[in-house]
Amino acid sequence: MRKFVPERVLYEEGIFEYKFGHEMFNKFKSENIPMQKIKSHHDVAFVKQAPDENFTAIKKYIVLGVRKSLKLTPNNRSADFIVPFTSSGCSAMCTYCYLVCTFFKGSYLRLFVNRDEMVQAIKKKAEKIGEEKFYEIGSNSDMVLENTLTGNLRWAIENLSLINNVRVTFATKFSMVESILDAKHRGRVQMRISVNPQEIIKRVEIGTSNLKERIGAANKMYEAGYTIGINLAPIILIDNWQKLYRELFIFLTDYLHPEMKDKLFFELIFMTYGLANEKMNAAAMPNVTNVFNRDIMRPKGRGKYCYKEEIHCHAKEYFIGLINEYFPASTISYIV
């Protein structure tokens, strides 16, 4: 797919306290991308004041900043700990994006330059625990996308895999993995490739790699020695969803690397949708497919919706059946 090139770079003054901050600033400046100084990546007044219709244009911005919080959060799903890492946000415009519920128009890609401090936080935690744990480095972003701008994924793989008792995991909707295929991962890194039926990707996950590209990337990573999982996320129950997802599983059996099929693990994550998404989509992308169905969804916290319990249970059993039918040797890490 076409490489993401930002149309504007917003930057905090604090980035110049870090060598990598200077490197990134100079990189974008040399590419003749307009640079604009801001007070804080959390408080960009002209973005907040812009009409919602400008959402897609603002998504083409990036921010260079310094991450303040480096506290690792315990997790019992994709990893043992969630790491506040080198990016937040994304250039894609998935119509269900949960980051929109938090950042609204400011859900663009933020790049944090104090990466050495993040690695030290992981090292400190690993030394304190003294046993092998998984660390999720891309919970609020897509590290494969970010890597095309910063090289941070390759850097993280090669640095974190040197730390005793650290295993690294990240999920992605993108296929640009060529630069990390020969990274020294030491067998301690896993990639979870996020998949959906191609019809959903095309209509809903706007700006991401298509299904065939994603599976091609998974196969390349497997051949390079990485552990690969399938992140079925988010599961979206649109019209004809049973047929679409069965066709997805048939596609996976046809195109996944043959040796990978007996080693797969699955993560199943059902969609959560926010009223902020509905508002932003209506203003900036009025012609996109509507994935919010009040008839089968219920409130889940303030301004968010998830599938009703009986709908969720029925669909969960359907997906367990698909996995048992097409990938009987695989495991399911969690369903949520």
Side-chain angles (χ1 to χ4, degrees):
M1 63 178 296
R2 187 171 59 183
K3 180 181 178 181
F4 170 59
V5 178
E7 293 190 358
R8 182 175 296 274
V9 175
L10 315 177
Y11 66 93
E12 296 177 336
E13 183 69 28
I15 67 169
F16 298 115
E17 298 176 15
Y18 300 87
K19 178 183 176 182
F20 190 61
H22 282 278
E23 292 175 3
M24 293 305 300
F25 179 88
N26 292 333
K27 164 186 158 58
F28 291 120
K29 188 175 182 180
S30 70
E31 295 171 355
N32 295 318
I33 298 173
M35 312 290 287
Q36 181 174 346
K37 184 179 176 180
I38 58 173
K39 182 178 180 180
S40 169
H41 68 85
H42 284 305
D43 188 18
V44 184
F46 76 89
V47 170
K48 289 184 176 180
Q49 295 165 6
D52 291 344
E53 289 83 355
N54 290 11
F55 173 68
T56 56
I58 292 171
K59 267 283 195 170
K60 297 174 184 177
Y61 297 172
I62 65 169
V63 165
L64 296 178
V66 178
R67 188 181 276 282
K68 305 302 188 294
S69 174
L70 301 177
K71 184 179 179 181
L72 279 63
T73 305
N75 182 262
N76 60 357
R77 291 176 182 168
S78 61
D80 297 292
F81 292 97
I82 302 296
V83 182
F85 210 58
T86 53
S87 57
S88 175
C90 184
S91 65
M93 289 171 280
C94 301
T95 63
Y96 53 75
C97 179
Y98 72 93
L99 291 171
V100 171
C101 296
T102 302
F103 299 115
F104 301 97
K105 292 184 294 291
S107 57
Y108 44 64
L109 183 60
R110 305 164 195 236
L111 306 175
F112 302 109
V113 301
N114 50 326
R115 62 185 189 178
D116 292 293
E117 294 174 359
M118 301 166 196
V119 169
Q120 287 304 309
I122 296 172
K123 184 176 181 181
K124 183 178 179 181
K125 177 66 74 172
E127 290 174 346
K128 181 178 179 180
I129 295 173
E131 58 183 273
E132 189 172 85
K133 297 292 183 181
F134 270 99
Y135 295 82
E136 165 67 74
I137 62 171
S139 64
N140 283 334
S141 64
D142 193 302
M143 290 299 298
V144 171
L145 169 67
E146 189 216 318
N147 190 66
T148 65
L149 296 170
T150 65
N152 273 339
L153 181 53
R154 183 185 178 99
W155 179 89
I157 287 169
E158 297 197 332
N159 282 273
L160 292 174
S161 64
L162 288 171
I163 304 174
N164 289 335
N165 297 320
V166 169
R167 293 180 69 87
V168 178
T169 184
F170 61 92
T172 184
K173 290 182 173 70
F174 290 90
S175 61
M176 303 84 78
V177 298
E178 284 71 17
S179 68
I180 60 174
L181 294 177
D182 63 347
K184 296 180 176 64
H185 57 78
R186 300 173 179 85
R188 302 170 77 172
V189 179
Q190 68 174 210
M191 181 180 83
R192 292 123 54 216
I193 192 73
S194 180
V195 299
N196 250 317
Q198 176 57 28
E199 183 174 337
I200 288 179
I201 291 174
K202 180 180 179 180
R203 295 161 56 191
V204 177
E205 297 181 341
I206 300 164
T208 65
S209 298
N210 65 43
L211 179 60
K212 191 171 184 179
E213 291 170 338
R214 297 185 198 185
I215 299 308
N219 290 339
K220 292 175 186 177
M221 291 286 280
Y222 176 78
E223 291 174 349
Y226 290 88
T227 302
I228 303 298
I230 298 293
N231 189 338
L232 199 60
I235 294 170
I236 304 176
L237 305 182
I238 63 173
D239 290 343
N240 210 26
W241 63 266
Q242 294 98 329
K243 179 177 182 291
L244 290 174
Y245 280 100
R246 179 170 290 277
E247 290 173 350
L248 168 63
F249 272 78
I250 293 171
F251 182 92
L252 294 177
T253 60
D254 288 342
Y255 287 96
L256 280 173
H257 194 292
E259 295 177 8
M260 194 197 310
K261 296 177 183 178
D262 292 338
K263 303 174 184 177
L264 279 178
F265 64 91
F266 283 84
E267 300 173 342
L268 278 65
I269 305 171
F270 284 80
M271 182 185 70
T272 297
Y273 191 84
L275 296 181
N277 298 106
E278 185 176 46
K279 181 174 181 287
M280 204 67 66
N281 293 344
M285 301 182 289
N287 296 321
V288 297
T289 299
N290 180 25
V291 295
F292 180 42
N293 185 343
R294 289 179 182 272
D295 293 338
I296 61 173
M297 303 189 81
R298 63 174 177 82
K300 180 187 179 182
R302 184 177 180 182
K304 296 181 181 179
Y305 284 77
C306 65
Y307 292 110
K308 294 177 179 178
E309 187 65 27
E310 63 273 21
I311 301 293
H312 182 277
C313 288
H314 169 71
K316 180 176 72 172
E317 293 305 313
Y318 181 80
F319 284 102
I320 292 173
L322 286 179
I323 292 170
N324 289 337
E325 180 179 351
Y326 290 99
F327 298 97
S330 67
T331 59
I332 299 176
S333 297
Y334 66 94
I335 304 174
V336 64

